[in-house]
Amino acid sequence: MALDHLSTTFAALADPTRRAILARLASGECSVTELADPFDMSMPAVSKHLRVLERAGLIARGRAAQWRPCRIEAGRLKEVAEWTEQYRAIWEQRFDRLDSYLQEQRVKEKRHGRNQRRK
Amino acid sequence: MALDHLSTTFAALADPTRRAILARLASGECSVTELADPFDMSMPAVSKHLRVLERAGLIARGRAAQWRPCRIEAGRLKEVAEWTEQYRAIWEQRFDRLDSYLQEQRVKEKRHGRNQRRK
């Protein structure tokens, strides 16, 4: 059976701290210590999140002896984008409908306002 | 504290059956029975998945007495697309790099082939 990458990716992304780690790594690779700093988290807690992200293929870690720099791996995010893209037509249609509804409401309100002034 | 929509959405999407249900609903609303049919799943199992999707705001259910039709709600998927979009620059850069690497390899192989023929 093929590995279900998408499920692993989505599960890894279902946490605000892990998404914040990805956002930090988007501006460049850094060490675990640098990552832990802004989050006010213990090193083991950060390491646990990093392991989840690494297993999901969302980050990779360097092999430098002293510090193992983390870097973002964007391939899996591309898969998420591609999966989501197939629903674009639906939300664009929905929001188009909402737009028409709001425009109709605005027209009705204007008419109502005009009628009120006539009274 | 604001509700963490994104985490709930990602957690709901971290399951192949739930994604298959969304794919089915993308082509139109249908009843729970119709949804359960292709998955060879019990009704309670399907209902459980539907509850997760509904809580995440990914689907909505009608109020018709006999059958409560399920329909896809694309607003949350739009949020996922917007979140993912901020990383586009990274994966495009990465794949550009991969492209350059593969092109370099191809040039090297050609050169190697030419040198081999000369020997």
Side-chain angles (χ1 to χ4, degrees):
Chain A
M1 204 183 100
L3 269 172
D4 180 9
H5 284 318
L6 261 179
S7 294
T8 315
T9 306
F10 280 130
L13 294 176
D15 181 281
T17 307
R18 287 198 288 270
R19 293 198 303 277
I21 290 174
L22 286 182
R24 168 65 190 83
L25 292 177
S27 56
E29 61 177 35
C30 60
S31 70
V32 181
T33 324
E34 286 169 308
L35 275 178
D37 210 35
F39 294 112
D40 194 23
M41 282 175 82
S42 68
M43 295 285 286
V46 173
S47 293
K48 205 175 158 188
H49 283 308
L50 293 178
R51 273 199 301 278
V52 175
L53 290 169
E54 199 177 2
R55 264 201 301 267
L58 286 161
I59 66 161
R61 302 192 59 185
R63 303 219 168 267
Q66 286 302 312
W67 66 300
R68 298 188 54 205
C70 304
R71 63 167 191 277
I72 195 168
E73 286 287 311
R76 292 281 187 270
L77 293 170
K78 189 175 184 245
E79 285 175 11
V80 169
E82 284 165 353
W83 179 86
T84 317
E85 196 55 31
Q86 60 185 328
Y87 296 98
R88 176 176 293 277
I90 297 175
W91 76 68
E92 284 184 346
Q93 202 184 349
R94 283 288 151 86
F95 286 100
D96 285 353
R97 268 187 231 157
L98 182 65
D99 266 352
S100 338
Y101 171 78
L102 292 173
Q103 273 175 10
E104 271 171 39
Q105 289 305 105
R106 252 173 258 137
V107 172
K108 274 184 198 166
E109 276 165 25
K110 268 189 193 169
R111 264 187 220 145
H112 183 73
R114 244 179 278 150
N115 292 343
Q116 288 291 53
R117 280 195 294 276
R118 272 180 206 158
K119 275 176 191 167
Chain B
M1 205 185 101
L3 269 173
D4 181 9
H5 284 319
L6 262 178
S7 294
T8 315
T9 307
F10 280 130
L13 295 176
D15 181 281
T17 307
R18 288 199 287 271
R19 293 197 303 277
I21 289 174
L22 285 182
R24 168 65 191 82
L25 292 177
S27 58
E29 60 177 35
C30 61
S31 71
V32 182
T33 323
E34 286 169 306
L35 274 178
D37 211 34
F39 294 112
D40 194 24
M41 281 174 83
S42 70
M43 294 285 283
V46 173
S47 293
K48 205 175 157 189
H49 282 309
L50 292 178
R51 273 200 301 278
V52 176
L53 289 169
E54 199 177 4
R55 264 202 301 267
L58 286 160
I59 67 161
R61 303 193 58 184
R63 304 220 166 267
Q66 287 302 310
W67 68 299
R68 299 188 53 205
C70 304
R71 64 167 191 278
I72 195 168
E73 286 287 311
R76 292 280 186 270
L77 292 171
K78 189 175 182 248
E79 286 175 10
V80 169
E82 284 164 354
W83 180 86
T84 317
E85 197 55 31
Q86 60 186 329
Y87 295 98
R88 176 176 293 276
I90 296 175
W91 75 69
E92 283 184 345
Q93 203 184 346
R94 284 286 150 85
F95 285 101
D96 285 353
R97 269 188 230 156
L98 182 64
D99 267 352
S100 336
Y101 170 78
L102 292 174
Q103 272 173 10
E104 271 170 38
Q105 289 304 103
R106 252 174 258 135
V107 172
K108 273 183 199 167
E109 277 166 24
K110 267 188 193 169
R111 263 188 221 144
H112 182 73
R114 245 180 279 148
N115 290 342
Q116 288 291 51
R117 279 195 298 277
R118 272 182 206 156
K119 275 174 193 171

